[in-house]
Amino acid sequence: MFLDFMSEVKGLIRDALEHCGFKVEDGVNDLGLEISPHADLASSVAFRLAPAQRRSPVQIAKEIHQAVPTEYRYVDRVELAGPYLNFFMNRVFLKTVLNQALSDNCWTGKMSDKVIVEHTSANPDGPLHVGHIRNSVIGDTLVRILRRAGCTVDAQYYVNDMGRQEAMVVVGCEHFQLDGSKPDHAIAKVYIAANKAMEENPDIRVQADQIIQRYEAGDPETVAKIQNAVNYAIRGIEETLHRLNIHHDSYHWESEFVRSGDVAQIIELLEKTGHTEWEDGAFQLDLSGYGFEKKMVLKRANGTSLYITRDLAYHRWKSANSDRSVDILGADHKLVSGQLCTALRLLGIREPEVVIFEFVSLPTGSMSTRKGKFISADELIDEVERRAFEEVSLRRPEESEDFRRDVAMKVAAGAIRFDVVKVSADKATMFDWRQALDFEKLSAPFIQYSHARACSILRKESADRQFNAELLLDENEVALIKKISHFDLVIDSAARELKPHHLATYARELAESFNLFYRYSPVLDAPSDLKDARLALVGAARNALRATLETLGIAALETM
RNA sequence: GGGCGCGUGGCCUAGUCAGGAUAAGGCGGCAGCCUCCUAAGCUGUAGAUCGGGGGUUCGAAUCCCCCCGCGCCCGCCA
């Protein structure tokens, strides 16, 4: 699709440049290509050549334009517009897009990397809150994008079972009763209670310390307690993730890397770099030569390991078992992840690609599980589902309650995912109920609705017959085919740059294009030949919308 | 105090990495469109000196410097 058109254009420009004896510096976009309102693909390469050539971009563009080969496959024509070179698609390309889009095998790209994506990895000390789900949604969407691009992806949850917080959960379980509510919520209650109790009773801290030490030493009774608590909490967390159509392929516990000896190995390897030292009984890594003031403690004075050391071992393992490894982390992890990457570099281990997302805060400040100050993901989903059910009932009162519940569930999950993923990860956001419950244009239901409309047409007449693509000449029809063609480009760049919000933007644009077509090009009432062509376009658009929605992890509803 | 990130119409955001042809959407406002394939849709309209100032450039929302505001981080926590 679009990548084929683009590679033809690149070839044409390179041939022309060579013919003219022009050289451009290598770069990500060395030919200055851009999708623009003036062309299907525009090049501003003449501007880049102007300084070295000491001539005006207009003259240079003119010269390149004359040197562009005239044999085309998907290119219709090349126009000179002052200093710009404008490339246009031909009908063959549009027809090819339509045919490809009607088949099933054009929606997966050609990347073949083995990728590990680690996301969510929330401490098993309570339910996910609206901050965590930004991690989960970004992570799961990237997993889907990378798969769509052709990669083999393992979505991993790194379980922090060795930290103080889990020891506090166990202490909490010993002093307070799990109350039988949803497991992750029940765990949070005893965890919060234990933290509160610690304020008056310092002995709680001692108990937690003992649990940490016994767990690291492998004391069977303590191991069983921690494992029970972790598994219990994870069960609840998983349930929440599944409501949002988020799935992990594997779980890795920190303790695995301690028990396997990987953590001890990491410490030995770091020692060999000559950057380590003992200070106050603790083993430390000095990264002051790399811009980190504070030393990184690798082992406590009491001999137990720290999160960062275990994380180093985990990342070493991930690098050895993948072509790319991706971490999704909150902004509070920026510093520590920088230290981690530096330490890995010292060891000659490939660093992860880190996607940092900025904080989600409440109007009252930032969230904290320990203080019990958060809006849980479950509360959010329940509330949005309730709203969605009202909405469906209003629009489809004649449908059964089961139907309305099912649609509400899928609309709610989609709406939440889209709301999160549409915003660039490096924007801090404020959680807002009003906005979370709004189902209008810049939201998932808008896209699901376009898909449902396409399905509605195709239920009445199918798209599986011969058609003449030459009949699709209306502005909205051509625009829709072009928009469909962009799918592979968007997936490719989102997978490379790890920017899932690009796909959200595309989804909205695709749905908008379809809605305009729907409004101005009647399908079922059109004359026979035109109807067949339009049905084919509806089929192609339906497939594109479905692929886009699935990649966003949003249910492609056939009716709503 | 230092580091990182962010600042785009009343509100929320895309575009910034890789400078390029009139700054793109949504919400809210106002005015319209259902005897017509699902109106969770479509159309029109008003509203922006792209935080401020300097610089680089033929050209800056985009790059560089300074300043202001907001967020996050600077634990032998995770």
Side-chain angles (χ1 to χ4, degrees), chain A residues 127-338:
Chain A
L128 299 177
H129 57 57
V130 296
H132 291 123
I133 61 172
R134 190 166 192 194
N135 188 317
S136 309
V137 169
I138 290 172
D140 186 69
T141 308
L142 280 173
V143 167
R144 291 165 184 274
I145 287 171
L146 288 160
R147 287 195 178 128
R148 191 56 88 177
C151 301
T152 303
V153 184
D154 191 23
Q156 303 194 347
Y157 190 122
Y158 186 49
V159 181
N160 302 331
D161 59 327
M162 300 196 85
R164 173 170 303 280
Q165 90 294 127
E166 206 54 33
M168 284 299 285
V169 168
V170 169
V171 173
C173 287
E174 280 167 358
H175 290 265
F176 307 94
Q177 274 289 316
L178 290 171
D179 66 0
S181 52
K182 187 164 171 284
D184 45 345
H185 290 263
I187 289 279
K189 285 177 202 161
V190 301
Y191 176 61
I192 293 161
N195 275 292
K196 195 142 195 257
M198 189 170 70
E199 286 169 21
E200 270 120 55
N201 180 6
D203 188 46
I204 299 248
R205 168 174 284 276
V206 178
Q207 292 171 25
D209 282 338
Q210 284 171 348
I211 287 169
I212 293 174
Q213 293 196 32
R214 288 199 205 116
Y215 187 57
E216 181 133 359
D219 168 56
E221 198 187 326
T222 311
V223 168
K225 279 182 189 168
I226 295 243
Q227 282 182 351
N228 279 337
V230 169
N231 283 324
Y232 195 64
I234 295 275
R235 200 191 310 161
I237 289 172
E238 258 186 338
E239 199 184 302
T240 305
L241 289 172
H242 292 174
R243 295 179 78 185
L244 293 173
N245 199 16
I246 294 169
H247 305 271
H248 287 89
D249 301 305
S250 56
Y251 286 74
H252 292 276
W253 293 41
E254 289 181 280
S255 52
E256 276 174 42
F257 298 93
V258 173
R259 313 256 186 263
S260 67
D262 287 19
V263 171
Q265 256 184 39
I266 274 286
I267 290 177
E268 277 173 39
L269 290 170
L270 283 169
E271 199 166 4
K272 285 183 193 151
T273 64
H275 290 273
T276 54
E277 58 192 59
W278 290 90
E279 198 178 299
D280 304 328
F283 192 60
Q284 318 205 358
L285 180 65
D286 183 359
L287 296 177
S288 54
Y290 301 87
F292 298 99
E293 260 181 71
K294 299 273 168 77
K295 294 196 177 92
M296 203 171 119
V297 177
L298 298 169
K299 205 197 264 185
R300 291 192 184 94
N302 69 12
T304 55
S305 62
L306 281 114
Y307 175 83
I308 183 82
T309 320
R310 303 186 291 259
D311 210 19
L312 278 168
Y314 175 44
H315 277 88
R316 178 173 175 235
W317 179 87
K318 286 200 284 188
S319 289
N321 288 282
S322 66
D323 301 313
R324 289 176 79 180
S325 79
V326 178
D327 290 355
I328 317 299
L329 297 171
D332 51 338
H333 285 69
K334 264 186 248 186
L335 178 65
V336 78
S337 117

